[in-house]
Amino acid sequence: MKKVLLVLLLVIILVSIDWFVKLRAQDLTSLTAEQREQLLREFKSGQTEMPRISPTDQKIYRSPEIYDSVPPPSRPSHPAETENLQLPTTPRDPNEPKAFEDLAPFGMELFGGPTETAPPSDMAASRDYVLGPGDNLIIYLWGRAEQEYNLTIDREGSVFIPKVGTIPAWGKTVEDFEAFAKRRFSSVYSEFDLSVSLGKIRSIRIYITGEVNRPGAYTVSSLTSLFNALYLAGGPTESGSMRAIRLMRGGTEVASVDLYRFLLRGDNGGDVRLQSGDAIFVPVAGARVAIRGQVRREAIYEMTGDETARDLLTLAGGATAQAHLDRVMLERINDAGEWEVIDLALKETPDTTTADTVLIDGDRVTVYSIFEAKRNMVAVFGHVKHPGYYERRDSTRVADLIDRGSLQEYDVYYDRANLFRRYSDWRVEVIPVDIRALIDGNESQNVLLQDRDSLHIYAIDDVTWDRYVYIEGEVARPGRYPLYADMTVQDLIFLAGSYTRSASTLQAELARFDAQGHVSLQKVSLARSVTTSRTLQEDDRLYIRRIPEWQLHRTVMLEGEIQFPGEYVLADRSETLYQILLRAGGFTQNAFPVGTVLERRSIGESLERLRVPKLLERSNPIAIDSLGNLHTEVMFDYEPESVNRIIVDMNTIMASDGRIGDVVLEPGDRIYVPSVPSGISVMGAVGANGTIKFADGMKVKDYIERAGNFTPQSDKGNTRLIRASGEVYAGGGILGKRVNQGDVIVVPSKIQKDSNWLKTFTTAITATTGVLTTVLLIDKL
């Protein structure tokens, strides 16, 4: 008794501590007066769950939506950048410089090819290749002595040759080793010659770190060079240097590589063959300067020292023929942190001084075109044969510009073109032009052009929506199709792959929508002489119906003890089970007709359509456990296959020649006739499950006794007798019921009801603790 009281006291203390922690975690002072009253009402009514403050009750500051969703208006930083800016409806001016944001660091495309996982294994080794442990040497000896040696350099750096002895190879080139080997062989042989070649090359371990796309350790061939290794690692990243790549060997820098020499002049003299343990380090790029406009390579270039604007022009491949070098714009961030513009003259003249301006990190250089100085230019774009820029004269009008651009011969939208006119205060005006009226001689549409006017000619597809018609039903490819000019019903059927075999070709149904959305239904004759005159309209829907009661293959399957089992086509819609059995030759001598199984899969499918499984699932009882939790008790599992069987009385059907109890068959039915069963199956809560030999006149209780009788867990009152025909018997008097051949006896087990006294006791203690907590909370409130 003392132990029980101690356990009770311990439970009360633990639950009280839990509620105390919850109360401390809840900031009561942050509750409103209404929330405090609600809390008090809940505790008085026995609801001990602490209320939570929803996020909407907390005072959270949120920025106005305009700052989160609407970006601030943008404006070009310099008028020169937008002097010839095209609207989205026109292509980019080829003379217009790229935006600096669109430029990429120079040389990145070198490593943009296919990714390699290892350098080529068939790389040729030169005569100055330095040998090391693991290399394979092949020595050919000919003359008075002919011999071939396949040797591998050991860890000590030597090779052993019979009769000749050990020859050191580590650190020697192939050429030096061949000369040394000749001297050693001459002490053994005379009048001979030899050659040395490399076989299998050793592998080495290298490391690539820094600003590369795939840093890490690599196992590569000893023929691998620094360029090969960089390609394996994907090259420098966008922030990596292309001009100060360092090769470290034993903690000492042994080489520094400038990839610009290779990119600009094809000079690969800086490529170095690697050794085991070498580390390649790519630092962050140094000072970078961008150049755009009329140069041959617009890009961002990395500087190494005191490069000038003229040096940058050389790196960019020089200026184009259209470059206006008398005024090159240099944009630079000054000491005050503001952008300033410096005009440079890069033309080759004796008194040029600004060309020697030294560039610094972040500088941006723009080389303009000589055409940008012109103001007498207009443009035409869109659906014309020759889009582009044209010279404007004082008398140039829209008709002159269209004549120069030459309209396309098809798909031109004549009702309107747009003339975009730009003003010096950043405004853009759109002037509509009726091309059809212009062609007809309407001079009001022949607008006089101004500098930088841009005319856009539209295609019909640019300004009209796509028009479709639809076809559904018994055609090969139902769906949506474009509406063509003067398209007929027969055209649509042909585009849809024509009729299927089950299509009714007498008439179809056409649903038509008018401008107000009203629907009109029309019966359409499918005779060719009529459909050719029936023209379709936008959004018409044509329905090709199926032939009534059409079904191509109405088959059933017969299996088991039947003279001629197999698949049978139903002769008509009223053919019965008895008739199909006669067609199949009847039963065999070993057949057990009483156990005939007739399965119809359409039954389960019909129940699924009626959502019967869902209704049964929702019909399961809802129980509450000792802790007050709700859960659904599953009384049974629904199996669609279990409802597909139709119970038939074959003895009655055969005795009455199909007049009584016969069943009309449906396509997909399966008929199975079993063989004569071995006995009576007894299973469930009995002494021994098994099959007992059938004896005429025995009852259910007799078979149960022979199976070892009931077990203590058996539920005798719910014993089931399942007939071979599929009928099930239960209830009072079942034990005295006579058993027929092929029957099955099932004895279920009792349902045990567990009583969890520990959970009930814990619940009672929790309720008691809730009362104490209520007193504490009311006191605080």
Side-chain angles (χ1 to χ4, degrees):
M1 187 63 182
K2 291 182 178 180
K3 292 183 178 180
V4 174
L5 291 175
L6 287 174
V7 172
L8 177 60
L9 181 61
L10 179 62
V11 172
I12 293 175
I13 293 173
L14 292 175
V15 175
S16 301
I17 293 174
D18 178 68
W19 276 109
F20 180 76
V21 172
K22 288 184 178 179
L23 287 171
R24 293 296 296 171
Q26 177 70 39
D27 186 3
L28 298 176
T29 60
S30 64
L31 300 177
T32 63
E34 291 79 11
Q35 289 174 332
R36 291 191 183 192
E37 292 178 5
Q38 176 66 19
L39 178 61
L40 184 57
R41 285 196 299 270
E42 289 177 355
F43 272 86
K44 286 181 179 180
S45 62
Q47 300 179 6
T48 57
E49 179 68 24
M50 292 296 295
R52 297 180 180 272
I53 301 177
S54 65
T56 55
D57 293 333
Q58 300 177 10
K59 295 180 179 179
I60 301 176
Y61 175 77
R62 300 183 183 277
S63 300
E65 291 186 3
I66 186 170
Y67 295 112
D68 295 335
S69 57
V70 181
S74 60
R75 179 179 177 132
S77 59
H78 194 275
E81 294 183 11
T82 58
E83 189 171 354
N84 290 314
L85 181 66
Q86 297 296 322
L87 293 176
T89 55
T90 59
R92 173 178 173 265
D93 183 352
N95 293 322
E96 177 188 348
K98 285 184 179 180
F100 284 111
E101 293 76 10
D102 296 335
L103 300 181
F106 174 66
M108 299 299 296
E109 64 277 3
L110 175 64
F111 303 97
T115 302
E116 287 189 2
T117 57
S121 59
D122 56 352
M123 293 172 58
S126 60
R127 300 288 289 174
D128 61 349
Y129 173 76
V130 179
L131 300 174
D135 283 337
N136 179 238
L137 294 174
I138 301 175
I139 301 177
Y140 298 97
L141 188 67
W142 69 92
R144 294 189 63 180
E146 293 187 0
Q147 188 68 39
E148 177 182 334
Y149 299 92
N150 193 324
L151 309 171
T152 299
I153 302 175
D154 58 25
R155 294 187 177 182
E156 284 72 29
S158 303
V159 294
F160 177 77
I161 304 174
K163 296 183 181 181
V164 177
T166 301
I167 301 178
W170 195 352
K172 291 183 172 64
T173 65
V174 176
E175 187 175 4
D176 293 340
F177 178 81
E178 181 178 299
F180 187 78
K182 279 184 179 181
R183 292 195 296 271
R184 293 294 300 272
F185 270 89
S186 62
S187 63
V188 180
Y189 301 102
S190 61
E191 299 182 12
F192 73 94
D193 203 351
L194 64 77
S195 65
V196 177
S197 61
L198 275 173
K200 184 179 179 181
I201 305 298
R202 70 181 185 274
S203 297
I204 60 175
R205 189 76 164 171
I206 64 170
Y207 304 90
I208 307 176
T209 62
E211 301 299 316
V212 290
N213 286 298
R214 293 185 294 275
Y218 290 81
T219 300
V220 295
S221 163
S222 56
L223 293 175
T224 303
S225 68
L226 187 144
F227 283 9
N228 300 142
L230 282 176
Y231 200 81
L232 284 178
T237 63
E238 195 160 316
S239 60
S241 174
M242 301 281 286
R243 310 199 67 179
I245 300 172
R246 298 199 294 268
L247 174 61
M248 309 298 293
R249 181 172 297 160
T252 304
E253 181 180 327
V254 296
S256 180
V257 178
D258 183 355
L259 290 180
Y260 276 24
R261 295 176 57 187
F262 177 69
L263 293 168
L264 297 174
R265 300 194 295 271
D267 181 4
N268 63 347
D271 198 10
V272 179
R273 184 165 292 161
L274 302 179
Q275 297 182 15
S276 185
D278 281 357
I280 300 172
F281 176 71
V282 179
V284 175
R288 281 177 168 176
V289 177
I291 185 170
R292 64 173 185 169
Q294 294 302 316
V295 293
R296 303 190 185 279
R297 284 191 299 266
E298 294 179 293
I300 300 173
Y301 292 89
E302 183 179 355
M303 304 288 103
T304 59
D306 298 332
E307 285 96 337
T308 64
R310 186 165 289 165
D311 297 329
L312 177 63
L313 190 63
T314 302
L315 288 176
T320 65
Q322 300 176 4
H324 183 57
L325 298 179
D326 290 335
R327 179 196 175 261
V328 174
M329 184 175 71
L330 169 62
E331 297 175 78
R332 172 175 292 176
I333 301 177
N334 58 24
D335 296 337
E338 299 176 348
W339 282 102
E340 65 178 1
V341 176
I342 303 173
D343 287 337
L344 305 178
L346 300 185
K347 196 171 183 179
E348 294 287 349
T349 57
D351 56 346
T352 299
T353 56
T354 56
D356 297 328
T357 301
V358 177
L359 301 176
I360 61 175
D361 189 24
D363 281 356
R364 305 193 305 188
V365 177
T366 303
V367 180
Y368 292 105
S369 169
I370 56 176
F371 294 107
E372 295 180 43
K374 292 185 177 180
R375 297 300 178 190
N376 56 334
M377 292 179 63
V378 290
V380 59
F381 296 103
H383 214 56
V384 293
K385 296 180 181 178
H386 310 293
Y389 294 86
Y390 294 90
E391 181 184 2
R392 184 194 70 85
R393 299 176 182 175
D394 294 340
S395 59
T396 303
R397 295 181 176 272
V398 171
D400 302 323
L401 186 57
I402 292 177
D403 184 59
R404 295 181 189 179
S406 186
L407 295 175
Q408 293 284 0
E409 298 174 355
Y410 60 92
D411 199 27
V412 176
Y413 187 70
Y414 288 94
D415 293 339
R416 173 168 176 160
N418 281 333
L419 178 65
F420 297 95
R421 176 160 294 172
R422 296 161 180 78
Y423 296 95
S424 58
D425 58 355
W426 304 90
R427 289 183 301 114
V428 178
E429 180 184 2
V430 180
I431 303 173
V433 177
D434 188 336
I435 300 178
R436 195 183 307 278
L438 181 62
I439 294 175
D440 292 340
N442 188 341
E443 286 299 322
S444 65
Q445 300 298 317
N446 198 10
V447 179
L448 183 66
L449 298 180
Q450 298 181 10
D451 284 338
R452 297 184 297 166
D453 279 356
S454 179
L455 181 66
H456 193 95
I457 308 296
Y458 294 94
I460 294 177
D461 291 342
D462 294 337
V463 295
T464 57
W465 61 83
D466 296 330
R467 291 176 167 82
Y468 297 99
V469 289
Y470 305 83
I471 184 170
E472 301 293 342
E474 299 303 313
V475 290
R477 295 184 296 274
R480 185 181 73 175
Y481 291 87
L483 175 62
Y484 299 106
D486 300 326
M487 188 176 182
T488 64
V489 169
Q490 195 65 35
D491 296 333
L492 179 57
I493 295 173
F494 184 81
L495 288 173
S498 195
Y499 306 105
T500 63
R501 188 174 179 183
S502 60
S504 174
T505 58
L506 297 178
Q507 71 174 10
E509 184 178 72
L510 181 67
R512 177 162 292 174
F513 300 84
D514 60 19
Q516 285 74 37
H518 300 148
V519 180
S520 62
L521 301 178
Q522 305 174 19
K523 297 297 182 181
V524 179
S525 174
L526 296 180
R528 289 184 177 271
S529 59
V530 177
T531 55
T532 51
S533 60
R534 175 76 65 162
T535 304
L536 295 175
Q537 297 180 12
E538 183 181 2
D539 292 328
D540 277 356
R541 289 183 175 268
L542 183 66
Y543 295 91
I544 307 298
R545 304 301 182 185
R546 178 178 293 189
I547 297 174
E549 298 185 355
W550 166 270
Q551 199 165 11
L552 183 58
H553 298 296
R554 295 172 48 83
T555 61
V556 294
M557 179 63 70
L558 274 65
E559 300 171 321
E561 298 300 325
I562 299 174
Q563 293 289 352
F564 301 101
E567 186 179 72
Y568 286 80
V569 176
L570 296 175
D572 52 52
R573 296 182 180 275
S574 60
E575 189 166 9
T576 64
L577 174 62
Y578 177 76
Q579 293 170 343
I580 202 73
L581 289 173
L582 292 181
R583 286 175 56 189
F587 303 111
T588 65
Q589 292 183 355
N590 196 37
F592 185 60
V594 176
T596 299
V597 177
L598 172 58
E599 289 185 348
R600 181 166 293 170
R601 276 177 283 182
S602 61
I603 296 176
E605 295 171 357
S606 299
L607 294 177
E608 288 285 350
R609 293 191 186 98
L610 295 173
R611 303 185 67 81
V612 171
K614 290 294 183 182
L615 294 175
L616 293 175
E617 183 181 335
R618 288 196 289 269
S619 300
N620 288 324
I622 298 176
I624 183 170
D625 59 18
S626 58
L627 294 179
N629 299 318
L630 299 178
H631 62 90
T632 302
E633 292 186 346
V634 180
M635 304 303 295
F636 61 90
D637 292 328
Y638 172 76
E639 297 180 358
E641 296 80 6
S642 64
V643 298
N644 288 341
R645 181 177 179 180
I646 299 176
I647 297 175
V648 294
D649 188 350
M650 284 305 303
N651 288 337
T652 302
I653 294 175
M654 300 305 294
S656 64
D657 295 334
R659 290 189 298 274
I660 302 175
D662 205 1
V663 178
V664 177
L665 298 178
E666 291 184 3
D669 285 353
R670 302 183 72 90
I671 302 160
Y672 172 72
V673 180
S675 58
V676 177
S678 302
I680 305 301
S681 298
V682 183
M683 57 186 66
V686 294
N689 287 260
T691 300
I692 302 173
K693 185 177 179 180
F694 173 73
D696 193 17
M698 291 184 64
K699 300 178 181 179
V700 171
K701 63 180 181 180
D702 299 329
Y703 284 100
I704 293 177
E705 289 176 357
R706 296 184 64 182
N709 221 325
F710 296 104
T711 64
Q713 293 81 23
S714 62
D715 188 358
K716 302 178 184 179
N718 285 316
T719 301
R720 302 285 193 271
L721 175 62
I722 304 174
R723 296 292 191 193
S725 62
E727 298 174 291
V728 180
Y729 295 91
I734 188 64
L735 297 179
K737 202 167 186 64
R738 185 173 178 176
V739 178
N740 297 328
Q741 188 172 13
D743 289 355
V744 177
I745 300 171
V746 179
V747 180
S749 298
K750 293 179 181 179
I751 299 176
Q752 299 293 334
K753 296 182 179 180
D754 295 332
S755 298
N756 194 333
W757 295 105
L758 179 59
K759 290 184 178 179
T760 304
F761 177 74
T762 305
T763 303
I765 295 301
T766 304
T768 304
T769 308
V771 175
L772 299 177
T773 307
T774 303
V775 175
L776 175 62
L777 182 61
I778 292 174
D779 180 66
K780 284 183 173 291
L781 291 174

